[in-house]
Amino acid sequence: MDSHTSADSRKQPSLVQMYTKIALVVSSYWVISISLVFINKYLLSSEDLKLDAPLFITFYQCVCSICICMLLGLLGSLFPSTFSFPALKFDYKISREILPLSIVFVGMITFNNLCLKYVGVAFYNIGRSLTTVFNVVLSYTVLKQSTSLPAVMCCAVIVIGFILGVNQEGNTGELSYMGVAFGIIASLCVSLNSIFTKKVLPAVEGNIWRLMFYNNINAAVLFFPIMLLKQELVTIYNFDKLYDVNFWAIMTVSGLFGFLIGFISGLQIKVTSPLTHNVSGTAKACVQTIIAVFHFNDVKTALWWLGNLCVLGGSAAYTNVRQKEMRAAHALEMKDKDVEAGKGSGTS
């Protein structure tokens, strides 16, 4: 019996190993996510580049994700014991089923980048802070799901933080109302994206990698006519750094990080929990804001910081409230099942 116990203990990772793995994954998520925001900010509104082609930048990131998926799919088929990645083969029927999500996805990443183009990195978190509020509104209007009073109060705190942040950013003279509008639309698209993702996942047999593959293909196709309409291809053709290796290296790194953020987010949820992932994202946003303020030498008022605190605190509190409600609902469901099982055994 002792030999079995020792063998099992050797198979099970130690507490130190588990905590080390979690720390590595969470820190990787922070580094990749924060780096992606700063890289995108550089590409979208840097004085060095002076490139006014946000749609092309987003289009190129989608193309990078497609190429990475295809490469990993090829490696998965050649070395199945080393790379556990599904084989990817394009199916027009599946692509058509994914299309509604892809339209929302295009809106989400486009308005995210447009928001980042017109507002500072420090304000970016406030500009996109209404996602949780839209989640509640859409859950009620679309899914017909009611929301508890504590959750609504958390949303009210977020809205107060948003209004306060916008007001204080306006007082500094740095506020772009267009950027705020893009941030609000981006928040709505993020909420819609989660709803449509759940709806179309069965089309790809619940495989998130296949969904990413089809979603980015559809998005790239959708972007092309919009880029033609906005004449961004002409802008790229006349861009003075079109043949600059450094420019394309940064573009490719942004595409790689765009792919990695999807992977590392899923991995963080896997090694921790959805609640911890949301808390980690909130904490990351706080650190990102502080880094941006110091990096760009911004001067912010106490009320501006209070607005950020309301947004971050309200988001964290909402996550905690929803987690407790889900646990209570699950416990009630299990209790009802036990009661039904008891009645069944009694009648038999």
Side-chain angles (χ1 to χ4, degrees), residues 256-277:
L256 174 62
F257 275 38
F259 175 85
L260 287 176
I261 193 64
F263 168 75
I264 201 67
S265 296
L267 187 60
Q268 181 170 242
I269 293 171
K270 183 179 179 180
V271 301
T272 58
S273 68
L275 173 63
T276 306
H277 171 68

Side-chain angles (χ1 to χ4, degrees), residues 68-121:
I68 294 169
C69 282
M70 292 177 67
L71 176 62
L72 291 176
L74 178 63
L75 292 173
S77 60
L78 292 175
F79 310 103
S81 59
T82 308
F83 291 93
S84 58
F85 200 88
L88 298 174
K89 184 180 178 182
F90 184 78
D91 186 323
Y92 175 76
K93 183 182 176 183
I94 296 176
S95 176
R96 190 174 57 191
E97 291 182 44
I98 302 295
L99 186 58
L101 170 65
S102 301
I103 294 171
V104 174
F105 176 71
V106 165
M108 181 182 74
I109 56 179
T110 298
F111 288 114
N112 264 335
N113 279 350
L114 285 173
C115 175
L116 187 57
K117 177 179 174 66
Y118 289 101
V119 305
V121 176

Side-chain angles (χ1 to χ4, degrees), residues 30-43:
W30 282 36
V31 170
I32 292 169
S33 182
I34 293 174
S35 299
L36 181 60
V37 170
F38 278 89
I39 292 170
N40 279 344
K41 181 62 178 177
Y42 174 78
L43 290 170

